[in-house]
Amino acid sequence: MANGWAPDGAVQDQIEDSLKDAVIAARARMPKGEGLNECEECGDLIPEGRRRALPGARTCVACQSLRDRQVAHSAINRRGSKDSQLR
Ligand SMILES: [Zn+2]
């Protein structure tokens, strides 16, 4: 790398932060492993069409879109503003 003037630690911290966020977001969005017949959030039956399209699906459409919204929310409000968001 050609950034001899930048403190290595700071750059590395930034990379790890965005990597962690990306991993968390990807995990929440793309279910891994076996899917469920019933939503793990509300217990509703997951439609067969959804299970076929998304073999690892563990939630119904409503709960998944709720999760997606939460992921987008937490990605926008980064660490600095988290406390004020919760209060
Ligand atoms: Zn549900």
Side-chain angles (χ1 to χ4, degrees):
M1 278 200 274
N3 58 348
W5 47 270
D8 283 347
V11 173
Q12 192 60 36
D13 280 355
Q14 266 186 0
I15 292 169
E16 277 173 14
D17 270 3
S18 34
L19 257 183
K20 237 178 278 170
D21 284 351
V23 168
I24 290 167
R27 263 193 210 144
R29 236 174 278 149
M30 299 185 6
K32 285 259 158 67
E34 278 190 43
L36 300 174
N37 290 339
E38 289 162 15
C39 173
E40 67 178 357
E41 292 282 342
C42 68
D44 272 7
L45 213 65
I46 299 174
E48 200 188 330
R50 171 167 169 76
R51 276 187 278 134
R52 246 186 249 157
L54 247 171
R58 302 174 70 87
T59 58
C60 67
V61 178
C63 291
Q64 184 61 51
S65 65
L66 209 69
R67 281 188 182 184
D68 287 348
R69 230 177 298 160
Q70 281 167 348
V71 169
H73 185 78
S74 69
I76 290 161
N77 296 297
R78 295 198 170 256
R79 274 156 201 82
S81 59
K82 210 180 245 174
D83 279 356
S84 55
Q85 291 287 329
L86 288 173
R87 265 167 219 156

